[in-house]
Amino acid sequence: MSERKVCVVSGSSSGIGAATVKRYAREGWDVVVNFSRSREPAEAVAAECRALGAAHGVQALVLQADIADDAQCLGLAEQVRAQLGRCDVLVNNAGTTKFVPLKQMDGLQAQDFHDIYAVNVVG
């Protein structure tokens, strides 16, 4: 295992999370690209991280976990420990919402709020 520092970013297959892991990789950190649904974008971000950190030998690990699920969070942490040996920085970036037109507020159900809260607050 490397002595490089490790950064884990939840929800890092796009947007701010992807920009964050790329920045850490550019600085020479090993990174974990986390996704919950689609592997392909996460693999693309990881490839960019490896390219950005090539001079440092950066590792970019792609791990699937729904951070709203405690068991999956624990599994993610265990995989990071097993494969990279440590986590120096955790960026809780994952977030979700449900878009509903203002005139159709009945399109939101109580479960929608529970699902959003589970990711954005508890996760």
Side-chain angles (χ1 to χ4, degrees):
M1 283 182 227
S2 169
E3 291 301 315
R4 277 186 301 279
K5 290 185 178 181
V6 175
C7 178
V8 177
V9 181
S10 67
S12 50
S13 64
S14 65
I16 293 169
T20 303
V21 289
K22 290 176 195 177
R23 175 62 188 258
Y24 275 94
R26 189 179 304 114
E27 297 295 323
W29 289 54
D30 288 339
V31 296
V32 175
V33 179
N34 163 250
F35 72 101
S36 64
R37 289 176 288 217
S38 183
R39 178 172 288 278
E40 285 183 29
E43 291 288 356
V45 169
E48 287 183 64
C49 289
R50 290 181 198 107
L52 289 167
H56 304 286
V58 162
Q59 295 182 65
L61 185 61
V62 177
L63 295 176
Q64 183 174 16
D66 178 350
I67 59 102
D69 181 311
D70 194 47
Q72 290 187 43
C73 287
L74 293 172
L76 173 69
E78 178 54 31
Q79 289 180 66
V80 171
R81 188 204 58 74
Q83 295 184 46
L84 297 174
R86 63 197 278 177
C87 175
D88 298 285
V89 171
L90 170 63
V91 179
N92 289 316
N93 169 75
T96 191
T97 194
K98 181 177 180 182
F99 294 100
V100 176
L102 188 58
K103 293 181 181 181
Q104 297 176 342
M105 292 304 286
D106 59 339
L108 288 172
Q109 305 300 315
Q111 188 60 48
D112 297 322
F113 290 100
H114 289 285
D115 294 343
I116 292 166
Y117 188 83
V119 173
N120 297 359
V121 179
V122 178

